[in-house]
Structure formats: structure tokens, C-alpha cells
Amino acid sequence: MLGLSVVIAVMGLFSNSAAVVIGAMLIAPMMTPVLGMAACLAMGWVRLGSRSAVTVVGASVGAIALAWLLALLVPDAGLTAEELSRTAPALTDLLVALAAGAAGAYATLRADVSSSLPGVAVAVALVPPLATVGVTLQLGRTDLARGALLLYVANLLAIIFAGLVVFVVTGFVPAQRLAQLRGRVGVIAVVVGAALVLIALPLLGATSSAVARAREIQKVNAATATWLGGRGLDVTGVSVTDARVRIDVAGPVEPPPTDSLASILDQSLGRSTVVEVRWTQRSAVPNAAAPPSNATTTPAEAQRAAVEAAITTWLDSTGSAADFQVSNVTINGSQVTLDLLGPSTPPSTKTLTAAITDIVGAKTKVTVRWSQQVVVGNTGPTALDETARVRRVADAWAATQPFTQVTSINVTTATVTIDISAPQPPATNNLVAQVQSELARTVAVTVLYTERRVLSSVPTTTFPSTTTSITPTTSTPTATVTTAVASTTITTR
């Protein structure tokens, strides 16, 4: 039964189907040995409890191994919302597990409420997190596997602890035996409770961090509105980390200097941060021709536009618009597949699924395929100092190359990216060696080249003389072909 449950759970995770995953929960037999372990501990049967523990551990390892093997059969399946939702547990998951464990123990004792036990199995899932561990390990995402394993261990300990308490309080343990083994049962309860507290600490930290980050985003939004001061610019995204605040604005005019915004945020957040403002120039095209009167929008085009608008609204409402980039949206009947690029796990798609269901008009399966895209930038004074040093070396090197100019430099802990423009690709081995020598550490140096065409050049004219040679040079500014880019990054401390 456990093997069948794992098969159903893995296929449900891959297809992003909550109904299939619930089916796996209903037939999973894990609740029985877990509650048996709680009953053995409440009765003071340490040996029997140990045997139950071995059964549960063996079943858990087997479930993970089976899920890993099944993941090999579905190559390039990607990560769905059902999988990602089980990789970031919070304190609320632990509270649900405690309540479900108490309900399961009570339903085991009372025949009149035993029919509710399948509902308990759905409320506190054990097999889906194990299946997620196996799938994410096969995909090489050990970070997500740790999150899913943490969720499983939290659920397991919560069920055992709550069941132990219920078995003692409801009189399942005879009073005479409880009096004889009071010390042993107390020690067991303390050990299980301590393990539960240790598991709760990272969950509490994750929940507190999420709440604190949401409050910081509210403060950044308020400070940004004050800083813009009605200039006609829209805030399209806000991202806050411990060391950096990134704000995306769009509009027809350039935003004000960011020095004042940095001062406001330092006071509002209570710490010094690097502020990065990315401005996208956006304005209406004058005298734009009206579309032909016979132009019509097909139902499929209208549906796709509505789905894309729902995705944008979903990202904005979760505060993730600045972190993620939508690379592709595929609509196939009632199946919508969304490809996201971003540095962290996408938010829950519950509200997105509901919105798209309203648009499509039928129960819709929304699959989110997430590719991690980490953008590393300068995060402090040290990086800024190193950027200046690399700039000095690069400029000195460019001075030795004809018509070569350094356009931008980005320095991180492990990489250095230098953008140059020149009429033809120059040899950069000397530049790479000089940069590595300047930083005195192992760093990957990448030089990006943009062609820079020379449109006109006046040669040197020499005037001969019997006594001396004077060589005046007529200098004509070099014209450079450039392409205007409607996106400007303004960075200040």
C-alpha cells in the first residue's frame, strides 16, 4: 500500500494535480504505525516503540528511494507548484500536524469517530513530502529536498507527541500502569517534546522572517511613494534583502536622484542598505495610427491576454514581480504551463489557479516550471572598492588598444564582468591576468565585447622642415554607432 501510495503521489506531483496527491494521502498506511509508536510510548513499551520506529524509518527510506526511481522515468519534468509547496515549511504546518495528530489518536480510541481518520491523513500529509524528497534529490536540488524532509520530520514528531498526550489524557493508559511508569512516560514525553521544539525553531525563524520581510516591503513602498513625489512614475517591483533594496520604476521621465531615497530608507529600515533603482522609460507613441476597423481579436488571443494579465497580477500581489521573469506561457485547453526564471522558490499558485479557472471557464491545472536564476551584484563597500580598482586596471589596458572603451564593470565575490566596445575583438589575456593580479584572489573574469564602428578618422599630416619636424595632429571626434536601450540602472549606496 505504501508503494502504491508513493507511485500515485509522485505522478500527482509531476502532473501538478492536487486531487491525485490527495488520493495518495488517502491510501497511505503511514498513520497506523506512527500512532502505534505513540501508543507504545504512552504505555511505556520502549521495545515495542523501538520496533515501530524501525518500521517507520524503513518505510520512509523506502518511499524516498521509490520516488527517486520513479523520477527517472519522467525526464525534464521540472518543478511544479505541488512540489514547491512542500519544500518551504512554516510554523503553521507544525500547528496543523499537532491538531491532526491529536485528532488521529482520538479517532483511533473512539469507534464512533473513527471514520474521520482518512480526513486526518489528508490534513497531515506524510507520503507527499517523502515523495518530494525523492523527486528533488533526483533533480539535484538538495536544498529543496532538505525543506521537504524538514516538513516530514515536523509532521512525524507532531503526530507522535500529540498522540502520546491524547493517549495519556483520555485514559487509554490504565491508571495503575501510569502510576508505576510515571517517570518513564514523563522522560519519553520530554524527549519527544524537546525534539519537537528543535524542529519548531527553524520553522519559527522562517515564519518570522517572512513577516518581517513583508513589513519592510510596506515601508519601502511608502518611502518610494514619498521619494517619487507625483512625477508620473509607477513602481513595478520591489525586492528587499538584508543588504540590498531593488526598486523597479517605469514612466516617461527619469526618477529623482537616489541619494534622498537612500537616506529615507536608512531611517525607515533602521539599517544601511544598498539602493538600486532600475528605470524603464515608458511613454505613449504620438500620433499612433488607429488599428484597422476590420481588425479583430480571436477568442484564443483574448484568453491568452487575460491569462498573462492574471499572472502579472499574481506576481504583483505576492510581492514577487521584481524577482521573477516570465519566460513562457503555454495554454493547452485546461492545462496552463508557466515558465519562471528567478532566484528563489516561486510563491503559492493557489490564487493564480483560481483566477485562471475563472478565465478559462473550467477546472484548470496550472503548472509552474521554475528555473533558478541568481543575479549577483555589488553588495557593500568592499565590492565598490574592488570595482574602482578593476576599473583603473581596465581603463589602463583600454588605453593601449585602438578605439577601445570600457563601458561597464561588475565585481562579485567569485566573478568579474567587464563590458568593452571596440572595432574588433581585442586579445584580452593580458587584461584577465592584470585583473586577477589586482584582486589577488581566484576569480572568474568575463569580458563582453560590443562592436564599435569608426565612421570617420582624419590621418596625421606632417609638415617637413630643414631644421626640425613639427607634426600637428588634426583630431576629429570618433562617431560611435549606439543603440538606445530603454532601461537604465541607477545604483547608489
Side-chain angles (χ1 to χ4, degrees), residues 199-284:
I199 290 293
L201 291 179
L203 302 183
L204 179 61
T207 303
S208 301
S209 298
V211 173
R213 192 68 73 203
R215 292 175 179 173
E216 288 185 341
I217 291 177
Q218 291 179 350
K219 293 179 180 179
V220 171
N221 286 328
T224 304
T226 303
W227 170 64
L228 292 176
R231 284 177 173 253
L233 293 169
D234 298 326
V235 178
T236 59
V238 174
S239 175
V240 180
T241 63
D242 292 337
R244 179 180 296 272
V245 174
R246 191 179 72 191
I247 303 171
D248 293 326
V249 297
V253 297
E254 185 176 348
T258 56
D259 293 340
S260 57
L261 175 61
S263 301
I264 297 174
L265 290 177
D266 285 350
Q267 297 177 359
S268 179
L269 299 178
R271 67 174 188 272
S272 180
T273 59
V274 175
V275 180
E276 179 182 339
V277 177
R278 301 192 303 183
W279 168 52
T280 301
Q281 192 173 18
R282 185 175 63 188
S283 58

Side-chain angles (χ1 to χ4, degrees), residues 86-87 89 133 136-137 141-151:
R86 291 170 173 84
T87 59
V133 173
T136 50
L137 284 177
R141 295 302 308 273
T142 56
D143 54 334
L144 300 181
R146 286 194 299 268
L149 184 61
L150 179 63
L151 174 61

